Amino acid sequence: MAATWACIDAGKTHHHCVAIDEGGRRLLSRRVTHDEPELLELLGDVLALGDEVIWGIDLADGGVLMGRSSGLGSVAAGQCPLGVQVLAEDADAAGRES
């Protein structure tokens, strides 16, 4: 089963999520505000991309959370590839410039 890799660059007022497949093809790139309905919609859209999602969350204070989910149920520790994190940060930086 192919996994989807998703990284969220979490900020204080907004967040940027990039999801890629195992081949590195970008499946989703979206900036959302720190708003529960927007975040829930984003999570649902990412989960709809595949059966298994490997998550990485780059926190505003510099920490990184990582996990794996199958649906909204189980989460296990994992490792976010640096490439996904860089894609999220680059997309977020591009959004700030426009």
Side-chain angles (χ1 to χ4, degrees):
M1 164 182 16
T4 298
W5 293 82
C7 188
I8 298 175
D9 184 11
K12 292 181 181 181
T13 61
H14 69 276
H15 316 293
H16 198 107
C17 178
V18 173
I20 62 172
D21 64 16
E22 288 182 333
R25 184 175 59 98
R26 188 179 300 200
L27 304 173
L28 178 141
S29 177
R30 185 181 308 159
R31 180 179 167 155
V32 297
T33 60
H34 189 73
D35 175 69
E36 185 176 2
E38 263 192 270
L39 289 166
L40 289 173
E41 180 180 356
L42 172 66
L43 292 174
D45 290 347
V46 171
L47 290 171
L49 295 172
D51 294 330
E52 180 178 39
V53 179
I54 301 167
W55 295 91
I57 303 172
D58 183 9
L59 302 172
D61 66 2
V64 176
L65 295 175
M66 292 162 280
R68 176 183 304 246
S69 67
S70 298
L72 287 173
S74 61
V75 176
Q79 182 175 356
C80 182
L82 181 60
V84 179
Q85 184 175 345
V86 169
L87 280 172
E89 291 169 355
D90 288 350
D92 190 48
R96 284 194 301 265
E97 293 169 6
S98 55

